[in-house]
Amino acid sequence: MKIGIINGPNLNLLGKREPEVYGNQTFEDYFSILEKKYMNVEFRYFQSNIEGELIDKIQEFGFSFDGIILNAGAYTHTSIGIGDAVKAITTPVIEVHISNTFSRESFRHQSYISGNAKGVILGFGLQSYDLAVLSFEQK
């Protein structure tokens, strides 16, 4: 199984940024754990703070991977382009958020991705990514 993980803006700061919301672990450390835990999965990881680069990667993964785990960060709530990219591809996408976006500011309650995603997982910390991997294994 081939799964792409795409993280959006500021997720490169995990472990430093608002640890009370996002925890103390870097995504790179967590990604190493995921690779060891799911040895039957070939993971590809990409992070960018640039909207167009995220769209390019969604399109690149979107016709040849078994699944995409997408945490578009703040672009979730603002990017029609990312939502359209998810809609345009054939690979199923799980939208993931580390925090419970519905317990935060009201502008975070809107997602331009959810309506085109296979599912949405939020509020379980980095374990949200584990749950997304499991959802692809449970086809």
Side-chain angles (χ1 to χ4, degrees):
M1 179 177 300
K2 193 171 178 180
I3 296 177
I5 298 175
I6 301 173
N7 278 343
N10 300 311
L11 290 164
N12 56 310
L13 296 178
L14 287 178
K16 298 176 187 172
R17 173 189 178 206
E18 300 176 84
E20 67 282 359
V21 175
Y22 299 105
N24 295 315
Q25 190 171 29
T26 68
F27 193 82
E28 290 72 17
D29 288 344
Y30 181 73
F31 185 70
S32 294
I33 293 168
L34 271 182
E35 288 182 306
K36 290 175 185 150
K37 186 173 182 179
Y38 301 99
M39 294 181 70
N40 62 322
V41 176
E42 177 187 339
F43 288 104
R44 293 263 310 276
Y45 172 59
F46 179 78
Q47 187 279 326
S48 179
N49 295 316
I50 301 169
E51 182 178 13
E53 290 181 359
L54 297 171
I55 292 169
D56 288 344
K57 196 57 68 172
I58 290 166
Q59 291 175 359
E60 178 186 327
F61 291 175
F63 296 95
S64 59
F65 280 49
D66 297 300
I68 295 173
I69 300 169
L70 174 61
N71 184 342
Y75 287 137
T76 300
H77 321 293
T78 63
S79 179
I80 295 168
I82 290 175
D84 284 348
V86 170
K87 185 177 184 178
I89 62 172
T90 57
T91 297
V93 174
I94 301 293
E95 177 185 346
V96 164
H97 297 282
I98 296 166
S99 67
N100 178 353
T101 56
F102 291 99
S103 68
R104 300 180 67 194
E105 303 93 340
S106 61
F107 70 86
R108 296 185 194 275
H109 301 178
Q110 166 68 39
S111 170
Y112 287 101
I113 298 166
S114 297
N116 299 311
K118 175 184 175 189
V120 180
I121 300 170
L122 51 92
F124 293 98
L126 289 171
Q127 188 179 8
S128 296
Y129 293 86
D130 275 275
L131 295 170
V133 172
L134 290 173
S135 77
F136 290 122
E137 289 187 332
Q138 300 298 317
K139 286 185 183 180

